Amino acid sequence: MQTVDSMYRRLSSKRGSKKGKKLIGETAGYMSTSLFVLSNDVKMLRSALWCSGGGAKSECEKAPFHSPFEGTINLSMTAKEAISSQPPSHKGFLTIFQDESGLGAWNRRWCSVQDNKIYYWLYPEDEVNQNKQPHGEIDLRNCKTETVSVASRLDCARPNTFVLVIMAAAQPGDRTSIITESNGKTTQTKYLLSADSREERKQWMEVLNKCLQSVHSWNH
């Protein structure tokens, strides 16, 4: 009975005349040698993939002259955020500081967090009424605030108030006011939102921070 070592020696002697050629998968127990050679590599960052149109362009900085690559990899793809659990949602009253004819006013609104947006109505029953459109919305996807926290005394002395700063492309009619700053290209709005109690404020902040964590993880 021939052993694996004796078979390997016989095979090696027969093929020894082939200069520089290695045996590939000849016998069990020996490591096969791949004929593939690394030609190049490229780093693909999530921030590069997340762009409008679903296209990304990555450069091969060290592509050799004989490489079959031209030095650029163009990738076209579609992406969808996958959430393992139900998206964060919450409903309740918030008192929102708003600009009314150049003056600041606190308005109590029924608010609902859905799909990374805060929709608000005048009354709770307006939300279930299909004929009632939201009185307004705050798009958390444009939120510059990294973490929602209690407003400082400099921002607001009202208790149980937190701040959201929204930056979006300027729209016709945008102007600088006591809560917004517009330069013609972008408009920044600083929302002050006040909960009815300390416990409700904690609940709102927890839900909003979960939304922002999901949003920021894809935008950066």
Side-chain angles (χ1 to χ4, degrees):
M1 182 176 180
Q2 294 182 346
T3 64
V4 172
D5 288 339
S6 62
M7 292 176 62
Y8 181 75
R9 285 195 295 269
R10 291 179 59 188
L11 289 170
S12 298
S13 62
K14 289 182 179 180
R15 301 188 182 184
S17 60
K18 298 180 179 180
K19 295 181 180 179
K21 183 168 283 188
K22 296 182 179 181
L23 302 179
I24 301 177
E26 293 173 329
T27 56
Y30 287 90
M31 182 71 69
S32 297
T33 303
S34 173
L35 295 179
F36 289 99
V37 178
L38 178 64
S39 178
N40 207 314
D41 60 69
V42 61
K43 294 180 179 179
M44 306 188 73
L45 303 179
R46 180 171 56 187
S47 57
L49 296 176
W50 190 258
C51 56
S52 60
K57 182 178 179 181
S58 300
E59 296 292 338
C60 299
E61 298 179 355
K62 298 180 181 179
F65 177 76
H66 58 79
S67 173
F69 301 111
E70 296 181 355
T72 303
I73 295 178
N74 291 302
L75 175 66
S76 179
M77 63 179 295
T78 57
K80 181 179 180 181
E81 181 178 2
I83 302 176
S84 57
S85 59
Q86 292 295 325
S89 62
H90 192 66
K91 297 180 181 182
F93 278 107
L94 285 174
T95 304
I96 307 174
F97 185 75
Q98 297 177 305
D99 176 24
E100 293 187 355
S101 302
L103 300 175
W106 289 95
N107 295 310
R108 186 174 168 83
R109 298 287 182 256
W110 175 257
C111 301
S112 176
V113 178
Q114 303 174 29
D115 301 325
N116 292 326
K117 290 183 179 182
I118 302 176
Y119 297 96
Y120 53 91
W121 294 263
L122 295 180
Y123 308 105
E125 54 269 22
D126 292 344
E127 181 184 5
V128 297
N129 189 339
Q130 296 182 355
N131 295 325
K132 287 281 188 178
Q133 295 296 321
H135 198 262
E137 66 179 52
I138 301 174
D139 194 340
L140 298 176
R141 296 172 299 178
N142 297 324
C143 188
K144 289 184 59 181
T145 305
E146 292 289 338
T147 303
V148 181
S149 58
V150 180
S152 67
R153 298 282 295 183
L154 295 176
D155 287 326
C156 179
R158 188 185 181 102
N160 301 315
T161 300
F162 52 91
V163 183
L164 290 175
V165 178
I166 305 297
M167 176 76 76
Q171 301 297 321
D174 284 355
R175 58 181 178 82
T176 298
S177 68
I178 57 176
I179 63 171
T180 61
E181 294 181 5
S182 183
N183 57 14
K185 295 182 179 180
T186 60
T187 298
Q188 177 176 293
T189 305
K190 188 174 186 178
Y191 289 97
L192 297 173
L193 304 104
S194 179
D196 290 346
S197 66
R198 181 179 180 183
E199 288 303 317
E200 290 187 22
R201 186 253 299 164
K202 288 182 177 179
Q203 292 175 2
W204 278 105
M205 289 170 53
E206 181 180 357
V207 170
L208 294 176
N209 278 324
K210 287 181 179 179
C211 291
L212 294 181
Q213 183 180 10
S214 174
V215 170
H216 292 157
S217 66
W218 280 94
N219 288 347
H220 299 286

